[in-house]
């Protein structure tokens, strides 16, 4: 077979595996371990064998945004990330790979069923701090969480922007960033998606969250958009 090569993506900590078909990959923090049945690829770099994990954009909004050409994800090696709507930890595991041993992922998930899977992922990945709580009540986990550089949110709730804002006011540093995945029909199934996205962006602006970029997730997800921006407030 053809020799597989892996090269860095322009987003630090993300890679592209060049083979018969190109694939988005992250460097596996727990070598020999797949989290959700994803393919692992070993590449020899000099004396070292480095293992990468395939990152499927049909199963991850963040991967879809990266392949869709998002300009910035702000999630990079050493970053402290709060992940709202962590579910079973599929995307969280790739964020854990990206931020690496120097970074942290505070993974918040309300569902106890998904939470069980998330706890298992976190057992092997020491940089994931699983929090099985409702993201609407950040005061319940304020003792567990330090200030973060980035909030990533995929909570698919009608009041998602308010939920992100509450967490930003508590944990996001001034000048930190947010990446929000918006599913239009979760917020308003009667309005056209573009109208829903515009209305959410307006809500963000009212919370010191300044959107800098918006893109849809076609062809991976229908009627989804990702909004990336900066959180900044004037210090009195």
């Amino acid at each position: 077979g053809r020799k597989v090569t892996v090269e860095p993506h322009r987003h630090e900590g993300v890679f592209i595996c060049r083979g018969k078909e190109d694939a988005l990959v992250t460097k596996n923090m727990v070598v020999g371990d797949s989290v959700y049945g994803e393919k692992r690829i070993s590449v020899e770099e000099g004396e070292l064998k480095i293992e990468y994990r395939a990152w499927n954009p049909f199963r991850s909004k963040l991967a879809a945004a990266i392949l869709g050409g998002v300009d910035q994800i702000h999630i990079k090696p050493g970053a402290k990330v709060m992940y709202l709507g962590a579910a079973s930890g599929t995307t969280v595991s790739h964020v854990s790979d990206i931020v690496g041993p120097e970074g942290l992922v505070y993974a918040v998930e309300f569902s106890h069923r998904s939470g069980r899977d998330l706890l298992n992922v976190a057992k092997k990945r020491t940089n994931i701090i699983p929090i099985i709580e409702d993201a609407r009540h950040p005061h319940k986990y304020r003792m567990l969480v330090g200030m973060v550089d980035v909030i990533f949110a995929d909570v698919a709730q009608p009041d998602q922007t308010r939920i992100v804002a509450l967490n930003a006011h508590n944990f996001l540093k001034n000048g930190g960033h947010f990446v929000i995945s918006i599913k239009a029909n979760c917020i308003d199934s009667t309005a056209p998606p573009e109208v829903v996205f515009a209305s959410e962006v307006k809500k963000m602006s009212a919370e010191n969250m300044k959107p800098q970029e918006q893109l849809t997730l076609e062809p991976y997800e229908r009627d989804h958009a990702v909004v990336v921006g900066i959180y900044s407030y004037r210090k009195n």
Side-chain angles (χ1 to χ4, degrees):
R2 270 181 61 181
K3 193 166 160 28
V4 170
T5 59
V6 172
E7 53 194 58
H9 191 279
R10 63 184 178 83
H11 297 300
E12 198 189 346
V14 180
F15 300 85
I16 297 167
C17 173
R18 305 267 183 217
K20 195 168 69 184
E21 286 173 357
D22 290 355
L24 199 64
V25 296
T26 55
K27 196 178 281 185
N28 194 0
M29 217 175 103
V30 185
V31 174
D33 193 53
S34 283
V35 173
Y36 53 98
E38 73 283 8
K39 205 170 139 194
R40 300 196 311 274
I41 299 134
S42 266
V43 176
E44 283 176 23
E45 294 183 11
E47 297 289 294
L48 286 176
K49 250 196 163 162
I50 297 182
E51 188 175 79
Y52 296 89
R53 296 189 303 128
W55 193 3
N56 182 347
F58 290 97
R59 292 192 57 171
S60 169
K61 316 285 190 316
L62 185 54
I66 291 170
L67 287 173
V70 69
D71 187 45
Q72 294 286 341
I73 56 170
H74 303 291
I75 295 168
K76 54 179 188 272
K80 292 181 172 52
V81 179
M82 170 168 261
Y83 193 117
L84 304 176
S88 302
T90 303
T91 299
V92 168
S93 70
H94 289 285
V95 173
S96 154
D97 282 348
I98 294 169
V99 302
E102 303 296 309
L104 274 178
V105 188
Y106 297 102
V108 183
E109 174 52 48
F110 191 32
S111 151
H112 282 259
R113 203 179 65 189
S114 298
R116 276 202 297 273
D117 296 334
L118 180 63
L119 290 169
N120 284 327
V121 174
K123 271 182 197 151
K124 293 183 178 168
R125 294 171 170 269
T126 48
N127 63 357
I128 299 176
I129 296 169
I131 299 168
I132 314 303
E133 285 286 359
D134 185 347
R136 287 186 179 87
H137 303 294
H139 59 94
K140 287 191 175 173
Y141 45 85
R142 68 172 188 273
M143 304 306 285
L144 296 170
V145 180
M147 294 303 279
V148 299
D149 304 303
V150 189
I151 291 182
F152 178 88
D154 180 15
V155 291
Q157 295 293 330
D159 56 341
Q160 166 162 286
T161 297
R162 189 183 71 88
I163 294 171
V164 177
L166 277 173
N167 283 276
H169 301 332
N170 277 283
F171 308 116
L172 188 54
K173 68 178 193 192
N174 195 6
H177 293 89
F178 58 87
V179 180
I180 304 179
S181 167
I182 301 169
K183 184 178 180 183
N185 66 6
C186 262
I187 289 160
D188 182 351
S189 54
T190 61
E194 337 24 280
V195 174
V196 175
F197 300 147
S199 139
E200 290 306 294
V201 160
K202 206 170 159 188
K203 288 179 201 167
M204 290 172 202
S205 305
E207 298 280 5
N208 294 325
M209 295 164 63
K210 300 178 180 60
Q212 294 171 313
E213 184 184 5
Q214 176 184 333
L215 83 160
T216 59
L217 296 184
E218 311 284 351
Y220 308 107
E221 296 280 357
R222 282 189 60 189
D223 299 337
H224 274 71
V226 159
V227 177
V228 183
I230 187 166
Y231 177 67
S232 67
Y233 47 88
R234 285 195 185 82
K235 290 198 169 76
N236 295 333

